Each structure stands twice: as C-alpha cells, then as structure tokens.
Amino acid sequence: MRAPSFFIALVSLLFIAATAQAEPPNAKTLLEDAKQNFQPIVVPSPGNDSVTAARIELGRRLFFENRVSMDGNVSCAHCHLPDKQASDGLPKAIGVFGKENPRNAPSIFNAALNFKQHWRGDRESLEDQAEKSLLGPASFGNPDQATAMSKLKAVPAYAGAFAKAFPGDKDPINSKNWGVAVGAFERTLLTPSKFDAFLGGDASALTKQEAAGLRKFIDLGCASCHDGAGVGGNSFQKFGVATDYWKETGVANLDKGRADVTKNDADLYLFKVASLRNVARTAPYFHDGSVDDLTKAVKIMGKTQLGQDLSDKDAADIVVFLGALTGPVPASYSAPEPYPDAETK
C-alpha cells in the first residue's frame, strides 16, 4: 500500500519542481512591477462597419502601391519589409530615385501606439505622416498632392475603391483620404507577443532569463522612458542625458533632433523615445542607424541615458528580454494583386 503513496508523492514533487522552473522566483512581484510600467497590446475586434473595413482594405492596397511615386518604384512598403519586422535593415531609408532619407526608418508595426510619428515628432499622426510622405523629397518625391493623386486617378479601379471607402465625397481620391485610408490599415498592424501574455497574468510566459532581463530593465531605470503598451513611443527625451551620444555611437554628423523642428535650443538632441516592440529584429538602431548590434545599443543607452556601464551579464539578460517583445507578422501584411493600369488604345 505504500508504493502508490510514494508514487503520488513523487509525482507531486516533480510537479512542484516543474512549476518552480516555469515560474521564475518572485514572478508575481515582477508581474506587479511590470504592470506599473507597461500595458498589454489590445487588438480591437474587426466589427461590422463596412466603411471602416473598406478603408482598411483600401489602405492596405495603397500601402503597397508604388505607382504613386515619381519613379514608379517606391511604396510605403518599400521601407517596411515583412522579413525585417516592417523596417528595412538600412541605417537610413532609401526612397525615390535612390535618395537617402535623413534618418532611420522605424518599424511600422505598432506605430499606432506612438504619441507622434517620426524621430523628431514632426508628424502628428499616422494619417498626417502618410499624407505628407507623398511630397517627401526622399520618400515619394511628388511636387504636389495633385500630381500624386493624378497617378491614382489614372488607375481605373481606384475610383470605385475610394468611393466605397469614402461614400458621399464628391471627389474621394484626394490626399487627405489617402492618409486616412493608409492610417486605417496601419492601425491594424499590432504585434502582441509573449510579453503581453505575461502582462495578462501568465507569470510563466517569460523564461527565467527573460524575466531576469525584465527585472533589470525596470530596476536600472530603462522603463522610465520605455514604458506603456509600445515599451516606448510616448515621449521625447534627450539622446545623451549623461554623456554626448555621438561619443558613444561614433558618428561624425550630429543631428539636432527636435530642435530643428521647434527652432528651440531647449529641444537640442531630443528625439522620440523609440518603441522597443520587435526591436530584436529591426537593426540597425537609433535615429541614424549608427549601431547594428542590439547588445552594443543597450550598453550605449546605459551609458548615455543612465550614466551606467552595464555588465555583459546585465546587457545579455536585457537583450534576451527584448527578444520577448517580438510578435508575429500580421496576416494582412502582404501586397494584394495590383489593380491593372488603364488600357492603352
């Protein structure tokens, strides 16, 4: 009779041991602390609004449309590749006619969580960014919005698509509606990850090292700027609080950041805090793409922002935690079959 009792006790001990491995020490305390700094990504339900659905579908089509650029080769997706988690892997994005953009192209995934768009915050929203990109010298390169829209109007099927997405508009193919439609699609590009499962209450969702990295990320002060649902993207901060950033990154050409937008010296070297969602797959890093290694980028942030020389162990643990912020590429992030050009007579 003792054998079954011994077997049950052994199974119980193994279960307890497995649970202890699944839940890192102080997991509940870590979860409580994490909830004070971060929020999980909430993916809205599609709903039954036919107009919204039409705008999202039109926006997806426009996002991958290259015929609106001056050289016919550049679309929004040109700098936001699915295999790069919607970044492009370049220090600075390359746009129309091979022109180099002044700054690195961040991922468009989860950009809807940012309080402003662009590194300097000179675009108020996704819609504003999409509309103005049509005129960007190194983006689409159009001289004016009318030129950009004339290219869409030359594709017959867009007339019906815009009319469906913007019913009641007498002339729906306009740059404002372009921005609204592209923004509607981009707002669907959310990538929740295992970190969101953790924030939702699953204390075992993170591995032991991921949890250790999160603990250090919070305790060192990283979460004071990289917070919220986007793990960043909520504020402007000076790049180089403790030491000049260029001394650590090694760049020679300095970027004044937001000061070039506001013309206020108080904003010198201020940039939007980057969202760290998918950061493990969106190298190179910083506004100028000057660092291509995530461990090095973490150590530079420790030095420039916190005045701390992070140990190899601390940096490694933080990098492992940052890997837990990678989510799957949204199913809708692919190019639809292009509308055919107008038939030539």
Side-chain angles (χ1 to χ4, degrees), residues 207-221:
T207 66
K208 184 176 180 181
Q209 189 175 11
E210 288 167 347
L214 172 57
R215 178 80 272 166
K216 291 170 184 177
F217 190 86
I218 294 173
D219 290 350
L220 287 169

Side-chain angles (χ1 to χ4, degrees), residues 239-245 248 299-307:
F239 188 14
V241 173
T243 184
D244 295 331
Y245 80 81
E248 303 303 321
K299 287 191 171 186
I300 287 173
M301 289 299 288
K303 184 74 170 180
T304 60
Q305 306 309 107
L306 305 173

Side-chain angles (χ1 to χ4, degrees), residues 70-71 74 78-79 88 90 92-103 135-143:
M70 284 302 291
D71 65 359
V74 172
H78 180 79
C79 298
D88 64 3
L90 301 174
K92 296 178 181 178
I94 302 298
V96 68
F97 298 117
K99 293 181 180 179
E100 185 180 72
N101 278 263
R103 290 169 197 86
L135 307 184
S139 296
F140 288 84
N142 291 288

Side-chain angles (χ1 to χ4, degrees), residues 33-45:
D33 290 347
K35 287 181 176 180
Q36 296 297 314
N37 292 281
F38 314 103
Q39 295 85 46
I41 290 177
V42 177
V43 179
S45 59

Side-chain angles (χ1 to χ4, degrees), residues 291-311:
V291 175
D292 59 7
D293 178 75
L294 185 54
T295 299
K296 181 178 179 181
V298 167
K299 287 191 171 186
I300 287 173
M301 289 299 288
K303 184 74 170 180
T304 60
Q305 306 309 107
L306 305 173
Q308 298 193 41
D309 291 309
L310 300 184
S311 68

Side-chain angles (χ1 to χ4, degrees), residues 228-287:
V231 195
N234 298 323
S235 65
F236 295 116
Q237 296 293 336
K238 181 181 179 181
F239 188 14
V241 173
T243 184
D244 295 331
Y245 80 81
W246 55 88
K247 293 179 180 177
E248 303 303 321
T249 63
V251 297
N253 299 321
L254 306 188
D255 190 325
K256 294 182 179 180
R258 189 155 173 78
D260 278 336
V261 177
T262 64
K263 310 304 179 185
N264 186 342
D265 286 345
D267 294 331
L268 200 60
Y269 311 131
L270 259 64
F271 296 91
K272 184 182 67 179
V273 174
S275 167
L276 297 183
R277 291 283 183 172
N278 300 297
V279 69
R281 297 185 183 176
T282 56
Y285 304 108
F286 305 135
H287 65 277

